[in-house]
Amino acid sequence: MISTLRNAWKIPDLRKRMLFTLAMLFIFRLGANIPAPFIDKKLIANLFNTDSGSVLELFNLMSGGAFKRFTIFALGVYPYITSSIIFQLLTIAIPSLERLAKEGEAGRKKIAQYTRYGTVVFALIQAVGLTLGLFRNALTNNTFLGKFTVILVLTAGTAFLMWLGEQITDKGIGNGISLIIFAGIVTKIPQDIYTVSTLYVTGGISIIALILFVALLLAVVTGVVGIQEGQRRIPVQYAKRVVGRKMYGGQSTHIPLKVLMAGVIPVIFSTSILQFLPTLTMFWPNSGFANFVTEYFTIRGTVGIWIYSLLNFILILGFTYFYTMIQFNPVEYSNNLKQYGGFIPGIRPGKPTSEFLSKVLNRITFIGAVALALIATIPLLVNTQSGITLSFSGTSLLIVVGVALETVKQIEAQMQMRHYKGFLK
């Protein structure tokens, strides 16, 4: 990875893209420290020290601490993720959107536009919930203009982050939204290291517990790299054909079916869905509904940690299959093979090929989905049961490692496109 980054830096175009990405992430971190107006930050900090505030720690983690400090980027990119999930599901359910998705680049741009509109709507709803609900006592200006200003600033902050992510994707390196989440999580690492060190020095945890916890984190990193890099190579043979005096085809290649085509997207989607009910409690804080949700549907509840973990496991399985089916269509791939004279040895072209690809894809996707769900869930349970309260574990570790791998792969792909031989090993 270090070698790839060093060699990419030597290429002027890639260096420009990398610098642009770093500049955009710097702007994100800068905005994450600009406070929203008319808010008493001390009251919000006190709220996070109570049980009700702990429910919102995941929002704070994904926003890089902006949520707890209630800055202009307090909502983060969660409204965008929610909007993306909904429109991807609607693409399958609504025929008109399905036709748009199949129209190529023009159709995808139209769906992306709808997703932006949805992001603003969800950001507005969440901003209203925070301003008039959970954090209403923290308002220093209770006039209509004061409330409207706070809601407008929070909504505009999310819209700006969405634009920032799209700029990174278009002009930088990697997926912009994923890198913004990545940057937010990474900023919590120094604080977590300090927390663990303090716990060890004060006797809060034993040396054995600390070693086991670090070993688990290393195992999670190894597991993520393993399932991200694992693939099943299906051999493909192209038939020979004579055109004039020249012979074409006859070469052998393979179809690389990745064990985890969906990457860390299912984890992000699952986390967003599971935060829906806690988000609703922002409208009715300290109510019976809020207490019920906290106890049974968040990791802070005695029963909730197990329900949350089970739902997280199931949702990751479902989203892994869903996202894999979007990325790889066995029928379409089979037709393309047949059109160009390719076939899988021992499998007839056409429907038998698509059925074979579907069978193999389902098997390896199941392995990848279960592994991904376990890697996301087990550290969460260990984290809550061991007494080591860290923000950087489980889901966040998955996202960080996954985004880092995907970004390096995109850099390698950019280098290959430019035909710089000798850089990749």
Side-chain angles (χ1 to χ4, degrees):
M1 181 182 293
I2 295 175
S3 176
T4 300
L5 292 175
R6 184 175 61 250
N7 290 323
W9 186 260
K10 298 176 182 178
I11 305 172
D13 184 37
L14 286 183
R15 182 168 61 246
K16 182 179 179 181
R17 283 178 170 269
M18 293 167 71
L19 288 173
F20 180 84
T21 301
L22 292 174
M24 294 298 101
L25 293 179
F26 175 77
I27 292 174
F28 160 62
R29 292 309 306 158
L30 188 65
N33 289 280
I34 299 176
F38 308 131
I39 292 291
D40 188 338
K41 310 303 183 297
K42 292 182 179 179
L43 287 178
I44 294 179
N46 291 335
L47 180 63
F48 270 79
N49 293 329
T50 65
D51 290 337
S52 59
S54 298
V55 176
L56 305 174
E57 281 297 337
L58 185 58
F59 285 102
N60 186 51
L61 173 67
M62 295 301 181
S63 64
F67 189 73
K68 187 174 182 178
R69 295 191 298 270
F70 214 77
T71 68
I72 59 175
F73 292 158
L75 300 184
V77 293
Y78 255 96
Y80 178 83
I81 295 172
T82 303
S83 181
S84 298
I85 294 171
I86 290 175
F87 276 100
Q88 287 197 17
L89 292 173
L90 290 178
T91 300
I92 296 177
I94 300 177
S96 58
L97 288 177
E98 187 178 1
R99 286 194 296 270
L100 269 179
K102 293 180 178 179
E103 287 180 4
E105 189 64 26
R108 286 192 292 270
K109 286 184 178 179
K110 198 69 176 177
I111 293 176
Q113 186 178 0
Y114 294 153
T115 303
R116 295 188 194 105
Y117 295 150
T119 300
V120 174
V121 171
F122 287 119
L124 181 62
I125 293 172
Q126 195 168 334
V128 170
L130 288 173
T131 306
L132 305 182
L134 186 63
F135 296 153
R136 67 179 183 276
N137 294 328
L139 282 171
T140 58
N141 185 343
N142 274 308
T143 63
F144 171 80
L145 182 61
K147 295 174 182 177
F148 177 78
T149 302
V150 175
I151 293 171
L152 183 63
V153 166
L154 294 180
T155 305
T158 293
F160 180 77
L161 277 183
M162 175 180 63
W163 176 83
L164 207 66
E166 291 179 349
Q167 293 302 306
I168 293 175
T169 302
D170 292 339
K171 301 176 183 179
I173 293 290
N175 182 287
I177 299 298
S178 297
L179 283 173
I180 287 175
I181 298 174
F182 172 89
I185 295 174
V186 167
T187 57
K188 302 286 287 184
I189 295 178
Q191 181 182 341
D192 282 343
I193 293 175
Y194 175 77
T195 301
V196 173
S197 302
T198 304
L199 281 173
Y200 175 69
V201 171
T202 57
I205 56 173
S206 64
I207 184 65
I208 296 177
L210 181 60
I211 292 174
L212 290 176
F213 194 80
V214 172
L216 178 63
L217 292 181
L218 292 176
V220 170
V221 173
T222 305
V224 174
V225 174
I227 61 174
Q228 288 274 37
E229 296 294 317
Q231 60 179 234
R232 165 77 183 274
R233 296 186 176 184
I234 299 178
V236 174
Q237 182 72 37
Y238 283 90
K240 294 181 180 179
R241 53 196 178 95
V242 179
V243 179
R245 295 183 178 182
K246 294 184 178 180
M247 180 177 292
Y248 296 90
Q251 70 270 25
S252 298
T253 183
H254 64 270
I255 304 172
L257 292 181
K258 294 187 67 175
V259 174
L260 194 62
M261 287 189 183
V264 295
I265 297 297
V267 178
I268 298 175
F269 280 9
S270 173
T271 305
S272 301
I273 293 294
L274 290 174
Q275 293 309 308
F276 177 72
L277 287 178
T279 301
L280 289 181
T281 62
M282 297 176 188
F283 293 91
W284 305 282
N286 302 320
S287 63
F289 171 73
N291 294 333
F292 174 79
V293 170
T294 301
E295 175 61 28
Y296 292 99
F297 292 98
T298 70
I299 61 175
R300 297 299 173 182
T302 307
V303 180
I305 176 61
W306 301 103
I307 296 177
Y308 183 96
S309 299
L310 179 62
L311 291 176
N312 188 46
F313 189 93
I314 295 172
L315 285 173
I316 289 176
L317 286 179
F319 277 122
T320 301
Y321 271 97
F322 169 73
Y323 210 75
T324 300
M325 292 303 109
I326 290 178
Q327 288 189 305
F328 187 89
N329 188 332
V331 175
E332 183 178 343
Y333 208 99
S334 173
N335 292 334
N336 289 337
L337 276 179
K338 185 177 180 180
Q339 180 180 352
Y340 291 101
F343 62 93
I344 299 173
I347 308 295
R348 294 179 59 187
K351 186 177 179 180
T353 297
S354 64
E355 290 177 347
F356 174 78
L357 289 175
S358 297
K359 183 179 179 181
V360 174
L361 187 64
N362 287 335
R363 287 180 175 178
I364 63 174
T365 301
F366 177 76
I367 295 173
V370 170
L372 186 66
L374 288 174
I375 290 173
T377 306
I378 291 178
L380 179 66
L381 292 172
V382 173
N383 193 19
T384 54
Q385 300 300 314
S386 65
I388 305 178
T389 307
L390 296 180
S391 56
F392 189 76
S393 62
T395 300
S396 57
L397 192 60
L398 263 172
I399 294 173
V400 167
V401 177
V403 171
L405 284 173
E406 290 175 5
T407 303
V408 170
K409 283 184 177 296
Q410 287 200 26
I411 294 175
E412 291 177 346
Q414 292 279 348
M415 293 170 66
Q416 285 180 325
M417 287 173 60
R418 287 162 176 77
H419 302 288
Y420 279 84
K421 298 181 179 180
F423 286 166
L424 301 179
K425 296 181 180 179

